Amino acid sequence: MLSIFPELFTYSLFAPFILRLVLGAYFMYTGIRHHKEDAALWNTVWNDKKIGSWTVGSILAKVQIAIGVLLILGLWTQIAAILVIVFNKVEWYKRHKFNTEPIAALWPKIFISAIAFSLLFLGAGFLAADLPL
């Protein structure tokens, strides 16, 4: 079947760009929130294990912020997408194991994974540091 608006395919690099910005902003926001506001719950979910002077929750919140920055900058987008997928699945497993969120909260995790998989296969898109050569 023919496309109704074939001239819009010229702007096809904007789709991964928009997905990358939204996912990066989401990861930065949740990382900052986990680091500042939800630190007690976050550490409870991760069994409050200590690594030196840092808690696991604090380290993972910083990893979330770093992934968000990488996605927004478009730097190592495919690696960041793999990290999002792994982080998302581990976080969902841990939270589901401790029953800290309802099953309806699974849908945003599915959407996040779908966006990350699309970035893994489509690349960074427009305005990225790692455009394909």
Side-chain angles (χ1 to χ4, degrees), residues 49-55 59:
K49 296 178 183 172
K50 301 280 184 183
I51 299 177
S53 62
W54 300 92
T55 60
I59 292 170

Side-chain angles (χ1 to χ4, degrees), residues 102-121:
I103 219 55
L106 176 64
W107 283 104
K109 305 269 187 241
I110 293 171
F111 293 143
I112 290 168
S113 292
I115 291 171
F117 270 114
S118 66
L119 288 174
L120 179 64
F121 294 115

